[in-house]
Amino acid sequence: VLDSVPTGLTVTAVASDRGTCASTPTSITCDITTLATGGVATITIDVDTAADLSGDVSNTATVSSTTTDPNLANNSATAVNSADPAVDLTVAKTTRTSPVVPGRQVVYDLLVTNVGPSDAVAVELVDVMPAGVSATSATTDRGSCAVTASVVTCALGLVPNGGDATISITADLAPELLGIVANTATVSSATDELDSTNNSDSVVDPLAPAADLAVTKTGPATATGGDTITYQLTVSNAGPSTARDVVLSD
């Protein structure tokens, strides 16, 4: 028995309940020796599939003997299987900036990973900025990113089985933000997804407002007894955050 496997398949093991078999990564040969009338030999072949395999896969095996065979039409058999690529894409998001201060910039780091088993095609990462957060730039080591103030879209292209892509996003925080800022990124592809529960990841950062307040006071250099003196006080906020509940005491 001879079986030459098609491109995209790699023989990993072969076993027969009669005779012996030898294999290479691309073919198997089994010597069944004698097969009596009505006898049956069963051969099992294990193959690995390439991560980029898709479409129909046709595999033909052929049997021959030194004994004359009056019917050669049934000496070959073909199996046709459909290869349906599928992947498990994940995304992990972290905040590089600490503390996160309104009025300053924040940097997010993202890691997209293809756990496989197939290659993922047309991979895309989308990160929608929350209110008060405006994206200014994004970089990636795979593909390219388009940036608007409200959304970052990264076209990562093909991410192979076991491959990954890193993305860094820089954004401005509005000075008036309070409380927390939550941000979510989502990854998708044109390849069937095995587990969509890990296709999004979020960070929730407590905000640490900071305001550099200053006051200046001016008045006349000299005054005569009985005169009214006017002082001028100027309060300023150099930021970066909005100052709330400001009280001036004199």
Side-chain angles (χ1 to χ4, degrees), residues 36 55-56 100 107 188 205 214:
D56 289 340
V100 179
V107 179
S188 62
D205 297 304

Side-chain angles (χ1 to χ4, degrees), residues 1-4 28-30 32 43 59-65 72 74-78:
V1 177
L2 174 65
D3 189 340
S4 297
I28 68 102
T29 303
C30 293
I32 300 173
I43 301 166
N59 184 14
T60 300
T62 302
V63 65
S64 62
S65 168
L72 297 177
N74 59 3
N75 284 29
S76 294
T78 299

Side-chain angles (χ1 to χ4, degrees), residues 66-127:
T66 57
T67 303
T68 300
D69 190 334
N71 181 16
L72 297 177
N74 59 3
N75 284 29
S76 294
T78 299
V80 179
N81 303 99
S82 177
D84 298 318
V87 296
D88 180 14
L89 289 175
T90 69
V91 59
K93 183 170 187 175
T94 58
T95 304
R96 188 192 310 176
T97 308
S98 180
V100 179
V101 180
R104 290 182 177 167
Q105 288 191 323
V106 62
V107 179
Y108 298 113
D109 293 320
L110 301 98
L111 177 65
V112 173
T113 303
N114 179 10
V115 184
S118 305
D119 293 342
V121 299
V123 179
E124 182 180 75
L125 176 102
V126 176
D127 193 334

Side-chain angles (χ1 to χ4, degrees), residues 128-134 150 172-174 176-178 180-183 207:
V128 178
M129 299 293 109
V133 181
S134 299
S150 59
D172 290 336
L173 299 176
E176 67 274 11
L177 286 177
L178 279 175
I180 62 170
V181 61
N183 184 242
L207 295 172

